[in-house]
Amino acid sequence: MMAAGAAAEHSAQDTRVVLLEKNESLGKKLLLTGGSRCNITNTADVADFVEKVLRNPHFLYSALYGFDSSALRDFLHELGLATKVEDEGRVFPVSDDAVDVLKAFVGYLKNAGVEVLLNAPVADISSKSEQGFLVRLEDGREIVANAVVIATGGLSAPHTGSTGDGYKITKNLGHNITKLYPAIVPLTTQKPDITELMGLSMTNVELVAKRDGKVTYKDLGDIIFTHFGISGPLALRASAHLAKSLHMPHEFYLDFMPNFSEKDLDDSILKIFAQSLNKSVQNCLLELLPSRLVSTLLESAGVGEGVKANELTKDARKSICRYIKAFKLEVTGSVGFGAAVITCGGVECNEIDPSTMQSKLVPNLYFAGEVMDVDALTGGYNLTIAFSTGRLAGKSAALS
């Protein structure tokens, strides 16, 4: 939508700009973002922004400096959409409704004179040196275009129409596509014990990921246990950083009390026990951790729930501390593209001119958003990438 509107804004008056939408309506994926509130962008400046981009951050400099989060918010305000800033610089519509963001863009397209064709999935695009491109729709219709912008998204949330169409079309035009992985996605685990923890949310947990004995990722945050593994911000960030290796076995260790050293934790438990010698170990530990987690930790440590504080051996107490500080999970992968926020991988960035988003291989072919090999953490960064690259691609296509 941004690419089409920008192309129309910068084209000659009689130029036809067509947006081909495979779905029956625009913006299906946009409506899901930010929990249907639409985390439009982030107030981070470009230098801080690119630190949140995990793959090919420097490729985005031209797009971001040309249309940063401040420019995006000004643009939306001109369309009548008021925005607000929340924690960590996340920007949302004041209404907290993604529908209003979509309405703003639909109005933008209408005012710019963009012709929108719904239910118009593209079957193929062929490059014709003298006539530009021949765009063939699945229903047999054909459109000849001087320039084409591919802004099809990736493979994440395929129920919204993101089924990898752009990769196939782009590959047929001679471009290389990197290996594709789901990112910002819940993780699956082998450990059966955590099924008892399903639905339990915990804050301020430290996660350490290891592969072959080496630390591959470490972070602090909130986590949710599910029937298949773990989710929540901490798990989603880990999936983004480790997207390319999650198909290989990883050991994850959760520290439920990262502000305590193992010795400090042991001292605290001893103090609690000293005040409640006749209480069960389980009841004593409820002063530190949720009941269901305590039960799981005691089971892992081989301590019966009925054991009293004054009956617990030193070794058993030390074992409990170790499980609190390093609860092991065998992560087997992720739940896949169906629940992924973003796709890791895409059209190789070294085949695209970052100053215009034009293909270096096929003249007048442009790219925008997730179809390219660029992805970032959550917080409004991925949508900003889509808007900024879309605006640059559309403007460049109009001026080509």
Side-chain angles (χ1 to χ4, degrees), residues 37 71 97 136 161 173 186-187 210 246 260 315 333 377 383 394:
R37 294 173 60 216
D97 194 343
R136 286 185 288 271
L173 287 167
L187 303 175
K210 290 185 178 181
L246 275 176
F260 287 74
D315 286 345
L377 297 174
L383 267 184

Side-chain angles (χ1 to χ4, degrees), residues 198-396:
M198 183 175 64
L200 177 65
S201 298
M202 296 204 60
T203 60
N204 198 38
V205 175
E206 184 177 76
L207 177 151
V208 177
K210 290 185 178 181
R211 176 161 171 74
D212 299 328
K214 295 181 180 179
V215 174
T216 55
Y217 183 68
K218 186 176 181 180
D219 197 7
L220 191 74
D222 301 346
I223 195 168
I224 302 170
F225 290 95
T226 68
H227 65 284
F228 52 77
I230 53 175
S231 188
L234 185 59
L236 297 182
R237 287 198 299 272
S239 78
H241 282 276
L242 302 173
K244 294 186 177 183
S245 61
L246 275 176
H247 61 288
M248 298 180 280
H250 270 82
E251 293 177 351
F252 277 39
Y253 294 88
L254 301 178
D255 183 349
F256 297 112
M257 300 190 70
N259 294 330
F260 287 74
S261 67
E262 198 166 311
K263 182 182 182 307
D264 290 340
L265 177 60
D266 189 38
D267 290 343
S268 294
I269 291 175
L270 275 173
K271 288 179 182 178
I272 294 171
F273 285 178
Q275 296 168 0
S276 311
L277 292 175
N278 292 317
K279 288 178 68 174
S280 69
V281 171
Q282 175 156 7
N283 285 338
C284 289
L285 292 178
L286 293 181
E287 294 188 28
L288 301 175
L289 297 164
S291 175
R292 280 192 291 161
L293 179 59
V294 169
S295 297
T296 298
L297 292 171
L298 290 180
E299 183 180 347
S300 299
V303 177
E305 292 184 4
V307 174
K308 293 183 178 180
N310 60 4
E311 299 172 339
L312 193 69
T313 66
K314 178 180 178 180
D315 286 345
R317 193 184 72 247
K318 295 284 189 182
S319 179
I320 292 171
C321 288
R322 284 194 294 273
Y323 276 101
I324 292 174
K325 293 293 293 177
F327 185 73
K328 184 178 177 181
L329 297 175
E330 297 286 352
V331 172
T332 56
S334 75
V335 297
F337 284 107
V341 173
I342 199 77
T343 303
C344 167
V347 181
E348 288 193 356
C349 289
N350 62 8
E351 297 177 352
I352 304 170
D353 183 345
S355 65
T356 60
M357 295 295 129
Q358 182 175 209
S359 164
K360 293 179 180 179
L361 308 181
V362 183
N364 298 323
L365 176 67
Y366 298 83
F367 300 95
E370 190 183 351
V371 73
M372 300 183 291
D373 184 16
V374 287
D375 62 291
L377 297 174
T378 57
Y381 301 103
N382 288 296
L383 267 184
T384 305
I385 290 170
F387 293 135
S388 297
T389 58
R391 191 158 188 83
L392 179 58
K395 180 179 178 180
S396 301

Side-chain angles (χ1 to χ4, degrees), residues 93-202:
V94 168
S95 65
D96 283 329
D97 194 343
V99 170
D100 292 326
V101 182
L102 177 57
K103 286 179 178 177
F105 272 96
V106 170
Y108 171 54
L109 295 175
K110 184 177 180 180
N111 291 335
V114 174
E115 181 181 345
V116 178
L117 297 185
L118 301 175
N119 296 303
V122 174
D124 187 40
I125 299 175
S126 57
S127 176
K128 301 167 74 75
S129 57
E130 294 182 1
Q131 297 173 284
F133 299 90
L134 180 63
V135 181
R136 286 185 288 271
L137 306 188
E138 288 186 1
D139 63 9
R141 286 179 291 173
E142 295 183 345
I143 298 173
V144 176
N146 294 327
V148 167
V149 179
I150 295 181
T152 54
L155 287 170
S156 60
H159 62 284
T160 64
S162 295
T163 52
D165 308 40
Y167 301 133
K168 177 185 174 183
I169 292 168
T170 303
K171 193 172 183 179
N172 288 341
L173 287 167
H175 274 272
N176 290 301
I177 310 298
T178 69
K179 194 167 177 59
L180 306 169
Y181 304 91
I184 312 180
V185 61
L187 303 175
T188 55
T189 64
Q190 274 187 341
K191 195 173 179 65
D193 298 3
I194 68 167
T195 55
E196 299 173 5
L197 300 175
M198 183 175 64
L200 177 65
S201 298
M202 296 204 60

Side-chain angles (χ1 to χ4, degrees), residues 37-89:
R37 294 173 60 216
C38 193
N39 183 187
I40 305 163
T41 186
N42 194 288
T43 58
D45 61 27
V46 174
D48 291 333
F49 188 107
V50 294
E51 290 184 3
K52 304 295 184 180
V53 180
L54 301 178
R55 257 69 62 170
N56 299 306
H58 301 299
F59 172 80
L60 295 169
Y61 273 126
S62 291
L64 292 173
Y65 275 113
F67 194 72
D68 62 9
S69 63
S70 178
L72 174 59
R73 292 183 71 192
D74 289 343
F75 166 81
L76 293 172
H77 291 172
E78 289 178 7
L79 296 180
L81 184 77
T83 60
K84 61 180 178 179
V85 181
E86 296 189 1
D87 61 301
E88 299 179 336

